[in-house]
Coordinates of all heavy atoms in Angstrom, one line a residue:
M1 N 197.7 105.2 316.7 CA 198.4 104.7 315.6 C 197.8 103.4 315.0 O 197.0 102.8 315.7 CB 199.8 104.3 315.9 CG 200.6 105.5 316.5 SD 202.4 105.2 316.6 CE 202.8 105.9 315.1
G2 N 197.9 103.2 313.7 CA 197.3 102.1 313.1 C 198.0 100.8 313.4 O 199.1 100.8 313.8
E3 N 197.3 99.7 313.3 CA 197.9 98.4 313.6 C 198.7 97.9 312.4 O 198.4 98.2 311.2 CB 196.8 97.4 314.0 CG 195.9 97.0 312.8 CD 194.8 96.1 313.3 OE1 194.0 96.6 314.2 OE2 194.7 95.0 312.7
V4 N 199.7 97.3 312.7 CA 200.6 96.7 311.6 C 200.7 95.2 311.9 O 201.3 94.7 312.9 CB 202.1 97.3 311.7 CG1 202.9 96.6 310.7 CG2 202.0 98.8 311.6
C5 N 200.1 94.4 311.0 CA 200.1 93.0 311.2 C 199.7 92.3 309.9 O 199.2 92.9 309.0 CB 199.1 92.5 312.3 SG 197.4 93.1 312.0
L6 N 200.1 91.1 309.7 CA 199.7 90.3 308.6 C 198.3 90.0 308.8 O 197.7 89.7 309.8 CB 200.6 89.1 308.4 CG 202.0 89.4 308.3 CD1 202.9 88.0 308.3 CD2 202.4 90.1 307.0
K7 N 197.5 90.1 307.7 CA 196.0 89.9 307.8 C 195.6 88.6 308.6 O 194.7 88.6 309.4 CB 195.5 89.9 306.3 CG 194.1 90.2 306.3 CD 193.6 90.4 304.9 CE 192.4 91.3 304.9 NZ 192.0 91.6 303.6
V8 N 196.3 87.5 308.3 CA 196.0 86.2 308.9 C 196.2 86.3 310.4 O 195.5 85.5 311.1 CB 196.8 85.2 308.2 CG1 197.7 84.4 309.1 CG2 196.0 84.3 307.3
F9 N 197.1 87.1 310.9 CA 197.4 87.1 312.3 C 196.7 88.3 313.1 O 197.0 88.4 314.3 CB 198.9 87.2 312.6 CG 199.7 86.1 311.8 CD1 200.6 86.5 310.8 CD2 199.4 84.8 312.0 CE1 201.3 85.4 310.1 CE2 200.0 83.8 311.3 CZ 201.0 84.2 310.4
C10 N 196.0 89.1 312.4 CA 195.5 90.3 313.0 C 194.6 89.9 314.2 O 194.6 90.7 315.2 CB 194.6 91.2 312.1 SG 195.7 92.1 311.0
Q11 N 193.9 88.8 314.2 CA 193.1 88.5 315.3 C 193.8 88.1 316.6 O 193.4 88.1 317.7 CB 192.0 87.4 315.0 CG 191.0 88.0 314.0 CD 190.8 87.1 312.8 OE1 191.4 86.1 312.7 NE2 189.9 87.6 311.9
K12 N 195.0 87.6 316.4 CA 195.8 87.1 317.5 C 196.8 88.1 318.0 O 197.1 88.1 319.2 CB 196.6 85.9 317.0 CG 195.7 84.6 316.7 CD 196.6 83.5 316.4 CE 195.6 82.2 316.3 NZ 196.5 81.0 316.2
L13 N 197.3 89.0 317.2 CA 198.3 89.9 317.7 C 198.2 91.2 317.0 O 198.2 91.3 315.8 CB 199.7 89.3 317.4 CG 200.9 90.3 318.0 CD1 201.5 89.5 319.2 CD2 201.9 90.5 316.9
L14 N 198.1 92.4 317.8 CA 197.9 93.7 317.3 C 199.2 94.4 317.6 O 199.4 94.7 318.9 CB 196.7 94.4 317.8 CG 195.4 93.7 317.6 CD1 194.3 94.5 318.3 CD2 195.1 93.6 316.0
L15 N 200.0 94.8 316.7 CA 201.3 95.5 317.0 C 200.9 96.9 317.0 O 200.7 97.6 315.9 CB 202.3 95.2 315.9 CG 203.7 95.9 316.0 CD1 204.3 95.5 317.5 CD2 204.6 95.4 314.9
N16 N 200.6 97.5 318.1 CA 200.1 98.9 318.3 C 201.0 100.0 318.0 O 200.7 100.9 317.2 CB 199.5 99.1 319.7 CG 198.2 98.1 319.9 OD1 197.6 97.7 318.9 ND2 198.0 97.9 321.1
K17 N 202.2 99.9 318.6 CA 203.1 101.0 318.4 C 204.6 100.5 318.4 O 205.0 99.7 319.1 CB 203.0 102.0 319.7 CG 201.6 102.7 319.8 CD 201.7 103.5 321.1 CE 200.2 104.1 321.2 NZ 200.1 104.9 322.5
V18 N 205.3 101.2 317.6 CA 206.8 101.1 317.5 C 207.2 102.5 317.3 O 207.1 103.1 316.2 CB 207.3 100.2 316.4 CG1 208.9 100.2 316.4 CG2 206.7 98.7 316.6
Y19 N 207.7 103.1 318.3 CA 208.1 104.6 318.2 C 209.3 104.9 319.1 O 209.5 104.2 320.1 CB 206.9 105.4 318.6 CG 206.4 105.3 320.1 CD1 206.9 106.2 321.0 CD2 205.6 104.2 320.4 CE1 206.5 106.1 322.4 CE2 205.2 104.1 321.7 CZ 205.7 105.0 322.7 OH 205.4 104.9 324.0
P20 N 210.0 106.0 318.9 CA 210.0 106.7 317.6 C 210.7 105.8 316.5 O 211.5 104.9 316.9 CB 210.9 107.9 317.9 CG 211.7 107.5 319.0 CD 211.0 106.5 319.8
N21 N 210.3 105.9 315.4 CA 211.0 105.2 314.3 C 210.9 106.0 313.0 O 209.9 106.2 312.5 CB 210.1 103.9 314.0 CG 210.9 102.8 313.2 OD1 212.1 103.0 312.8 ND2 210.2 101.9 312.8
P22 N 212.1 106.5 312.6 CA 213.4 106.2 313.0 C 213.8 106.8 314.4 O 213.0 107.7 314.9 CB 214.3 106.8 311.9 CG 213.5 107.8 311.3 CD 212.2 107.5 311.4
S23 N 214.9 106.3 315.0 CA 215.3 106.7 316.3 C 216.8 106.7 316.4 O 217.5 106.0 315.6 CB 214.8 105.7 317.4 OG 215.3 106.0 318.7
R24 N 217.3 107.5 317.3 CA 218.8 107.5 317.5 C 219.2 106.5 318.6 O 220.4 106.1 318.7 CB 219.2 108.9 318.1 CG 219.1 110.0 317.0 CD 219.7 111.3 317.5 NE 219.5 112.5 316.9 CZ 219.3 112.9 315.6 NH1 219.2 111.9 314.8 NH2 219.2 114.1 315.2
D25 N 218.3 106.0 319.4 CA 218.7 105.1 320.4 C 217.6 104.1 320.9 O 217.6 102.9 320.9 CB 219.4 105.7 321.6 CG 218.6 107.0 322.1 OD1 217.4 107.1 321.8 OD2 219.2 107.7 322.9
I26 N 216.5 104.8 321.5 CA 215.4 104.1 322.0 C 214.2 103.7 321.2 O 213.8 104.7 320.5 CB 214.9 104.9 323.3 CG1 216.0 105.3 324.3 CG2 213.7 104.2 324.0 CD1 216.5 104.0 325.1
F27 N 213.7 102.5 321.2 CA 212.6 102.2 320.5 C 211.5 101.7 321.5 O 211.9 100.8 322.4 CB 212.9 101.0 319.4 CG 213.6 101.5 318.3 CD1 215.0 101.4 318.3 CD2 212.9 102.0 317.1 CE1 215.7 101.8 317.1 CE2 213.7 102.5 316.1 CZ 215.0 102.3 316.1
N28 N 210.3 102.1 321.5 CA 209.2 101.7 322.4 C 208.5 100.7 321.5 O 208.0 101.1 320.4 CB 208.5 102.8 322.9 CG 209.3 103.7 323.8 OD1 209.6 103.4 324.9 ND2 209.6 104.8 323.3
V29 N 208.1 99.5 322.1 CA 207.3 98.6 321.3 C 206.1 98.2 322.2 O 206.3 97.9 323.4 CB 208.1 97.4 321.0 CG1 207.3 96.2 320.4 CG2 209.3 97.6 320.1
S30 N 205.0 98.2 321.6 CA 203.7 97.9 322.4 C 202.8 97.0 321.4 O 202.6 97.4 320.3 CB 203.0 99.2 322.8 OG 201.8 98.8 323.4
F31 N 202.4 95.9 322.0 CA 201.4 95.1 321.2 C 200.5 94.3 322.2 O 200.7 94.3 323.4 CB 202.0 94.1 320.2 CG 203.0 93.0 320.9 CD1 202.3 91.9 321.4 CD2 204.3 93.2 320.9 CE1 203.1 90.8 322.0 CE2 205.1 92.2 321.5 CZ 204.5 91.0 322.0
V32 N 199.4 93.9 321.6 CA 198.4 93.1 322.4 C 198.3 91.7 321.8 O 198.0 91.6 320.6 CB 197.0 93.8 322.4 CG1 196.0 92.9 323.2 CG2 197.2 95.2 323.1
S33 N 198.4 90.7 322.6 CA 198.1 89.3 322.2 C 196.6 89.0 322.7 O 196.4 89.0 323.9 CB 199.1 88.4 322.8 OG 198.7 87.0 322.5
E34 N 195.8 88.8 321.8 CA 194.4 88.6 322.1 C 194.0 87.2 322.4 O 192.9 86.8 322.9 CB 193.5 89.2 321.1 CG 193.6 90.6 320.9 CD 192.5 91.3 320.2 OE1 191.9 90.6 319.3 OE2 192.4 92.5 320.2
E35 N 194.9 86.2 322.2 CA 194.8 84.8 322.5 C 196.0 84.3 323.3 O 197.1 84.9 323.1 CB 194.6 84.0 321.3 CG 193.4 84.2 320.5 CD 193.2 83.3 319.3 OE1 194.1 82.4 319.1 OE2 192.3 83.6 318.4
V36 N 195.9 83.4 324.1 CA 197.0 82.7 324.8 C 197.8 82.0 323.7 O 197.4 81.2 323.0 CB 196.5 81.8 325.8 CG1 197.7 81.0 326.5 CG2 195.7 82.4 327.0
Q37 N 199.1 82.4 323.7 CA 200.1 81.8 322.7 C 201.4 82.0 323.2 O 201.8 82.9 324.0 CB 199.8 82.5 321.3 CG 200.1 84.0 321.3 CD 199.7 84.5 319.9 OE1 199.9 84.0 318.9 NE2 199.1 85.7 320.0
D38 N 202.4 81.1 322.7 CA 203.8 81.2 322.9 C 204.4 82.2 321.8 O 204.1 82.2 320.7 CB 204.5 79.9 322.8 CG 204.1 78.9 323.8 OD1 203.6 79.3 324.8 OD2 204.2 77.7 323.6
L39 N 205.2 83.2 322.4 CA 205.7 84.2 321.5 C 207.3 84.2 321.7 O 207.8 84.0 322.8 CB 205.2 85.7 321.9 CG 203.7 85.8 321.8 CD1 203.5 87.2 322.3 CD2 203.3 85.7 320.4
E40 N 208.0 84.6 320.6 CA 209.4 84.9 320.8 C 209.5 86.3 320.1 O 209.3 86.4 319.0 CB 210.3 83.9 320.1 CG 211.7 84.3 320.3 CD 212.7 83.1 319.7 OE1 212.2 82.1 319.2 OE2 213.9 83.4 319.8
I41 N 210.1 87.2 320.9 CA 210.3 88.6 320.4 C 211.8 88.7 320.2 O 212.7 88.4 321.0 CB 209.8 89.6 321.5 CG1 208.4 89.5 321.7 CG2 210.1 91.1 320.9 CD1 208.0 88.8 323.0
R42 N 212.2 89.2 319.0 CA 213.6 89.3 318.6 C 213.8 90.5 317.8 O 213.0 91.0 317.2 CB 214.0 88.1 317.6 CG 214.0 86.8 318.1 CD 214.5 85.7 317.1 NE 213.6 85.8 315.9 CZ 212.7 84.9 315.7 NH1 212.3 83.9 316.6 NH2 212.0 84.9 314.6
I43 N 215.1 91.1 317.9 CA 215.6 92.2 317.1 C 216.8 91.6 316.5 O 217.6 91.1 317.1 CB 215.8 93.4 317.9 CG1 214.6 94.0 318.6 CG2 216.5 94.5 317.0 CD1 214.8 95.2 319.3
V44 N 216.8 91.7 315.2 CA 218.0 91.1 314.4 C 218.4 92.2 313.5 O 217.7 93.1 313.0 CB 217.5 89.9 313.6 CG1 217.1 88.8 314.4 CG2 216.4 90.1 312.6
N45 N 219.8 92.2 313.2 CA 220.4 93.1 312.2 C 220.2 92.5 310.8 O 219.7 91.3 310.7 CB 221.8 93.4 312.6 CG 222.8 92.2 312.5 OD1 222.5 91.2 311.9 ND2 223.9 92.3 313.2
L46 N 220.7 93.2 309.8 CA 220.5 92.8 308.5 C 221.4 91.6 308.1 O 221.1 91.0 307.0 CB 220.7 94.0 307.4 CG 219.5 94.9 307.4 CD1 219.8 96.0 306.4 CD2 218.2 94.3 307.3
L47 N 222.3 91.3 308.9 CA 223.1 90.0 308.7 C 222.5 88.9 309.3 O 223.0 87.7 309.2 CB 224.5 90.2 309.4 CG 225.4 91.4 308.8 CD1 226.7 91.5 309.6 CD2 225.6 91.1 307.3
G48 N 221.3 89.1 310.0 CA 220.6 88.0 310.6 C 221.0 87.6 312.0 O 220.6 86.7 312.6
E49 N 221.9 88.5 312.6 CA 222.4 88.2 313.9 C 221.4 88.7 314.9 O 220.9 89.8 314.8 CB 223.7 89.0 314.1 CG 224.8 88.6 313.2 CD 226.0 89.5 313.2 OE1 225.9 90.7 313.5 OE2 227.1 88.9 312.9
V50 N 221.0 87.9 315.9 CA 220.0 88.2 316.8 C 220.7 89.1 318.0 O 221.7 88.7 318.6 CB 219.4 87.0 317.5 CG1 218.5 87.4 318.6 CG2 218.7 86.2 316.4
I51 N 220.2 90.3 318.1 CA 220.8 91.2 319.2 C 219.9 91.2 320.5 O 220.4 91.8 321.5 CB 221.1 92.6 318.6 CG1 219.8 93.3 318.2 CG2 222.1 92.5 317.5 CD1 220.0 94.8 317.9
F52 N 218.7 90.7 320.3 CA 217.8 90.7 321.5 C 216.9 89.5 321.2 O 216.3 89.3 320.2 CB 217.0 91.9 321.7 CG 216.0 91.9 322.7 CD1 216.3 92.0 324.1 CD2 214.6 91.5 322.5 CE1 215.4 91.9 325.2 CE2 213.7 91.4 323.5 CZ 214.1 91.6 324.8
T53 N 216.6 88.8 322.3 CA 215.5 87.8 322.2 C 214.8 87.6 323.5 O 215.5 87.8 324.6 CB 216.1 86.4 321.7 OG1 214.9 85.5 321.5 CG2 217.0 85.8 322.6
E54 N 213.5 87.4 323.5 CA 212.7 87.1 324.7 C 211.6 86.2 324.4 O 210.9 86.3 323.4 CB 212.2 88.5 325.2 CG 211.3 88.4 326.5 CD 210.7 89.7 327.0 OE1 210.8 90.7 326.2 OE2 210.3 89.7 328.1
N55 N 211.5 85.2 325.2 CA 210.4 84.2 325.0 C 209.3 84.4 326.0 O 209.5 84.7 327.3 CB 210.9 82.7 325.3 CG 211.8 82.4 324.1 OD1 211.5 82.3 322.9 ND2 213.1 82.1 324.4
K56 N 208.2 84.4 325.6 CA 206.9 84.5 326.5 C 206.0 83.2 326.3 O 205.5 83.0 325.1 CB 206.1 85.8 326.0 CG 206.8 87.0 326.3 CD 206.8 87.3 327.8 CE 207.2 88.7 328.1 NZ 207.3 88.9 329.6
K57 N 205.9 82.4 327.3 CA 205.1 81.2 327.1 C 203.7 81.5 327.6 O 203.5 82.2 328.6 CB 205.7 80.2 328.0 CG 207.1 79.8 327.6 CD 207.2 79.0 326.3 CE 208.5 78.6 326.0 NZ 208.6 78.1 324.6
E58 N 202.7 81.0 326.9 CA 201.3 81.2 327.1 C 200.9 82.6 327.5 O 200.3 82.9 328.5 CB 200.9 80.2 328.3 CG 201.1 78.8 327.9 CD 200.7 77.8 328.9 OE1 200.1 78.1 330.0 OE2 200.8 76.5 328.7
F59 N 201.4 83.5 326.6 CA 201.2 84.9 326.9 C 199.9 85.4 326.3 O 199.5 85.0 325.2 CB 202.4 85.7 326.1 CG 202.3 87.3 326.4 CD1 202.7 87.8 327.6 CD2 201.8 88.1 325.4 CE1 202.7 89.1 327.8 CE2 201.6 89.4 325.6 CZ 202.1 89.9 326.8
V60 N 199.3 86.3 327.1 CA 198.0 87.0 326.6 C 198.0 88.3 327.2 O 198.5 88.5 328.3 CB 196.7 86.2 326.8 CG1 196.5 86.1 328.4 CG2 195.5 86.8 326.1
G61 N 197.5 89.4 326.5 CA 197.4 90.7 327.0 C 198.4 91.7 326.5 O 199.0 91.4 325.3
Q62 N 198.7 92.7 327.2 CA 199.5 93.9 326.7 C 201.0 93.6 326.9 O 201.3 93.2 328.0 CB 199.1 95.1 327.5 CG 199.9 96.3 327.1 CD 199.4 97.0 325.8 OE1 198.2 97.0 325.5 NE2 200.4 97.6 325.1
Y63 N 201.8 93.8 325.9 CA 203.3 93.7 326.1 C 203.8 95.1 325.7 O 203.5 95.7 324.7 CB 203.8 92.7 325.0 CG 205.4 92.6 325.0 CD1 206.1 91.8 325.8 CD2 206.1 93.5 324.1 CE1 207.4 91.7 325.7 CE2 207.5 93.4 324.1 CZ 208.1 92.6 324.9 OH 209.5 92.4 324.9
T64 N 204.6 95.7 326.7 CA 205.3 97.0 326.4 C 206.7 96.9 326.8 O 207.0 96.4 327.9 CB 204.6 98.0 327.1 OG1 203.2 98.2 326.8 CG2 205.2 99.5 326.9
K65 N 207.6 97.3 325.9 CA 209.1 97.2 326.3 C 209.8 98.3 325.6 O 209.5 98.7 324.5 CB 209.6 95.9 325.9 CG 211.0 95.7 326.4 CD 211.4 94.2 326.4 CE 212.7 94.0 327.1 NZ 212.6 93.5 328.4
Q66 N 210.9 98.8 326.2 CA 211.8 99.8 325.7 C 213.1 99.1 325.3 O 213.6 98.5 326.2 CB 211.9 100.9 326.7 CG 212.6 102.1 326.1 CD 212.7 103.3 327.1 OE1 213.4 103.3 328.1 NE2 211.7 104.3 326.9
F67 N 213.5 99.3 324.0 CA 214.7 98.7 323.6 C 215.7 99.8 323.4 O 215.4 100.8 322.7 CB 214.5 98.0 322.2 CG 213.6 96.8 322.4 CD1 212.2 96.9 322.1 CD2 214.0 95.6 322.8 CE1 211.4 95.8 322.2 CE2 213.3 94.5 323.0 CZ 211.9 94.6 322.7
D68 N 217.0 99.8 324.0 CA 218.0 100.7 323.8 C 219.0 100.2 322.8 O 219.7 99.3 323.2 CB 218.5 101.1 325.1 CG 219.5 102.2 325.0 OD1 219.9 102.6 324.0 OD2 220.0 102.6 326.1
L69 N 219.1 100.7 321.6 CA 220.1 100.3 320.6 C 221.2 101.3 320.4 O 221.9 101.2 319.4 CB 219.3 100.1 319.3 CG 218.1 99.1 319.2 CD1 217.7 98.8 317.9 CD2 218.5 97.7 319.8
A70 N 221.4 102.2 321.4 CA 222.5 103.2 321.3 C 223.8 102.6 321.1 O 224.7 103.2 320.5 CB 222.4 104.0 322.6
T71 N 224.1 101.4 321.6 CA 225.5 100.8 321.5 C 225.7 100.1 320.2 O 226.7 99.6 319.9 CB 225.8 99.9 322.6 OG1 224.8 98.9 322.6 CG2 225.7 100.7 324.0
Y72 N 224.6 100.0 319.3 CA 224.7 99.3 318.1 C 225.0 100.2 316.9 O 224.6 101.4 317.0 CB 223.4 98.4 317.9 CG 223.3 97.3 318.8 CD1 222.6 97.5 320.0 CD2 223.9 96.2 318.7 CE1 222.4 96.5 321.0 CE2 223.8 95.1 319.6 CZ 223.0 95.3 320.8 OH 222.9 94.3 321.7
P73 N 225.5 99.7 315.8 CA 225.8 100.6 314.6 C 224.5 101.1 314.0 O 223.5 100.4 314.1 CB 226.5 99.7 313.7 CG 227.0 98.5 314.4 CD 226.0 98.4 315.6
K74 N 224.5 102.2 313.5 CA 223.4 102.9 312.8 C 223.0 101.9 311.5 O 223.9 101.3 310.9 CB 223.7 104.2 312.2 CG 223.9 105.2 313.3 CD 224.4 106.5 312.7 CE 224.7 107.5 313.9 NZ 225.2 108.8 313.5
G75 N 221.7 101.8 311.3 CA 221.3 101.0 310.2 C 219.9 100.5 310.3 O 219.1 100.9 311.2
I76 N 219.6 99.4 309.6 CA 218.3 98.8 309.6 C 218.3 97.6 310.5 O 219.2 96.7 310.4 CB 217.7 98.5 308.2 CG1 217.8 99.7 307.2 CG2 216.4 97.8 308.2 CD1 216.9 100.8 307.5
Y77 N 217.3 97.5 311.3 CA 217.1 96.3 312.2 C 215.7 95.8 312.0 O 214.8 96.6 311.5 CB 217.3 96.6 313.7 CG 218.7 97.0 313.9 CD1 219.2 98.2 313.7 CD2 219.6 96.0 314.4 CE1 220.5 98.6 313.9 CE2 221.0 96.3 314.6 CZ 221.4 97.6 314.3 OH 222.8 98.0 314.6
M78 N 215.4 94.6 312.3 CA 214.0 94.0 312.1 C 213.5 93.5 313.5 O 214.2 92.8 314.3 CB 214.0 92.8 311.2 CG 214.3 93.1 309.7 SD 213.2 94.3 309.0 CE 211.7 93.3 309.1
L79 N 212.4 94.0 313.9 CA 211.6 93.5 315.1 C 210.9 92.3 314.5 O 210.1 92.4 313.6 CB 210.7 94.5 315.6 CG 209.7 94.1 316.7 CD1 210.5 93.6 317.9 CD2 208.7 95.2 317.0
E80 N 211.1 91.1 315.1 CA 210.3 89.9 314.7 C 209.5 89.4 315.9 O 210.2 89.3 317.0 CB 211.3 88.9 314.3 CG 212.1 89.3 313.1 CD 213.1 88.2 312.6 OE1 213.3 87.3 313.4 OE2 213.6 88.3 311.5
I81 N 208.2 89.1 315.7 CA 207.5 88.5 316.8 C 206.9 87.3 316.2 O 206.0 87.2 315.4 CB 206.3 89.5 317.2 CG1 206.8 90.9 317.6 CG2 205.5 88.9 318.4 CD1 205.8 92.0 317.8
E82 N 207.5 86.1 316.7 CA 207.1 84.8 316.2 C 206.0 84.2 317.1 O 206.2 84.2 318.3 CB 208.4 83.9 316.2 CG 208.0 82.6 315.6 CD 209.4 81.7 315.5 OE1 210.5 82.2 315.5 OE2 209.2 80.5 315.2
M83 N 205.0 83.8 316.5 CA 203.9 83.2 317.2 C 203.8 81.7 316.8 O 204.7 81.2 316.0 CB 202.5 83.9 316.8 CG 202.5 85.3 317.1 SD 201.1 86.2 316.3 CE 201.8 86.2 314.6
D84 N 202.9 80.9 317.3 CA 202.8 79.5 317.1 C 202.6 79.4 315.5 O 203.1 78.3 315.0 CB 201.6 78.9 317.8 CG 201.8 79.0 319.3 OD1 203.0 78.9 319.7 OD2 200.8 79.0 320.1
D85 N 202.0 80.2 314.9 CA 201.6 80.0 313.5 C 202.0 81.1 312.5 O 201.4 81.2 311.5 CB 200.0 79.8 313.3 CG 199.3 81.0 313.9 OD1 199.9 81.9 314.5 OD2 198.0 80.9 313.8
G86 N 203.1 81.8 312.8 CA 203.6 82.8 312.0 C 204.4 83.8 312.6 O 204.7 83.7 313.8
V87 N 204.9 84.8 311.8 CA 205.8 85.8 312.3 C 205.3 87.2 311.8 O 204.9 87.4 310.7 CB 207.2 85.6 311.7 CG1 208.2 86.7 312.2 CG2 207.7 84.3 312.1
V88 N 205.3 88.2 312.6 CA 205.1 89.6 312.4 C 206.4 90.3 312.3 O 207.2 90.2 313.3 CB 204.1 90.2 313.4 CG1 203.9 91.8 313.0 CG2 202.7 89.5 313.3
N89 N 206.7 91.0 311.3 CA 208.0 91.8 311.2 C 207.7 93.3 311.1 O 206.8 93.7 310.5 CB 208.7 91.4 309.9 CG 209.2 89.9 309.9 OD1 210.0 89.5 310.8 ND2 208.6 89.1 309.0
K90 N 208.6 94.1 311.7 CA 208.5 95.5 311.7 C 210.0 96.0 311.5 O 210.9 95.7 312.2 CB 207.8 96.1 312.9 CG 207.9 97.6 312.9 CD 206.9 98.2 311.9 CE 206.9 99.7 312.1 NZ 206.3 100.3 311.0
K91 N 210.2 96.9 310.5 CA 211.5 97.5 310.3 C 211.8 98.6 311.3 O 211.0 99.5 311.5 CB 211.6 98.0 308.8 CG 212.9 98.6 308.5 CD 213.1 98.9 307.1 CE 212.2 100.0 306.6 NZ 212.4 100.5 305.2
L92 N 213.0 98.5 311.9 CA 213.5 99.6 312.8 C 214.6 100.3 312.1 O 215.6 99.7 311.7 CB 213.9 99.0 314.1 CG 213.0 98.1 314.9 CD1 213.6 97.5 316.1 CD2 211.7 98.8 315.2
V93 N 214.6 101.7 312.1 CA 215.7 102.4 311.5 C 216.4 103.1 312.7 O 215.8 104.0 313.4 CB 215.1 103.4 310.5 CG1 216.2 104.2 309.9 CG2 214.4 102.7 309.4
L94 N 217.7 102.8 312.8 CA 218.5 103.4 313.8 C 219.5 104.4 313.1 O 220.2 104.1 312.3 CB 219.4 102.3 314.5 CG 220.3 102.8 315.6 CD1 219.5 103.4 316.8 CD2 221.1 101.7 316.2
Q95 N 219.3 105.7 313.5 CA 220.0 106.8 312.9 C 221.2 107.2 313.7 O 221.2 107.3 314.9 CB 219.1 108.0 312.7 CG 217.9 107.8 311.7 CD 217.1 109.0 311.5 OE1 217.0 109.9 312.4 NE2 216.5 109.1 310.4

């Protein structure tokens, strides 16, 4: 799959996979941080409410996680990966 990132951040973080998207429950997220950096991974709803957050200090390498949103209402959610110098966003569609 192609990488999804803001041009300025491509060298630091490659968001490789977010699948399936749309999904009925499970989202698999995979990215690579090519530099040591502090990260905050969040999933937020359209009201801005954080439904998941994880902090990674001095993280480098492959990140893979499965998110189960089966207990949340159907709709649009945002995956946000905040780095020292910016944020990468990816829309998640829960059907």
Side-chain angles (χ1 to χ4, degrees):
M1 302 192 89
E3 66 184 60
V4 177
C5 57
L6 299 174
K7 201 169 204 174
V8 123
F9 306 123
C10 282
Q11 289 133 358
K12 291 188 175 188
L13 185 106
L14 301 175
L15 184 56
N16 293 335
K17 296 179 185 175
V18 177
Y19 66 94
N21 194 13
S23 174
R24 293 189 191 328
D25 50 14
I26 304 289
F27 290 91
N28 297 288
V29 174
S30 176
F31 64 81
V32 175
S33 175
E34 296 192 340
E35 293 183 11
V36 175
Q37 57 187 324
D38 294 340
L39 301 175
E40 183 176 359
I41 300 104
R42 293 183 299 265
I43 296 180
V44 297
N45 64 21
L46 288 182
L47 299 175
E49 298 167 333
V50 177
I51 63 170
F52 173 84
T53 186
E54 180 179 10
N55 290 299
K56 295 286 192 183
K57 298 292 182 194
E58 297 183 6
F59 182 81
V60 66
Q62 178 79 33
Y63 176 93
T64 303
K65 189 163 187 95
Q66 191 174 76
F67 296 96
D68 186 353
L69 301 186
T71 61
Y72 293 95
K74 295 176 184 174
I76 305 294
Y77 294 83
M78 294 300 294
L79 169 67
E80 300 176 347
I81 304 167
E82 185 175 346
M83 299 167 285
D84 295 332
D85 56 358
V87 179
V88 174
N89 294 295
K90 175 71 177 168
K91 181 170 69 172
L92 305 176
V93 180
L94 183 62
Q95 295 183 329

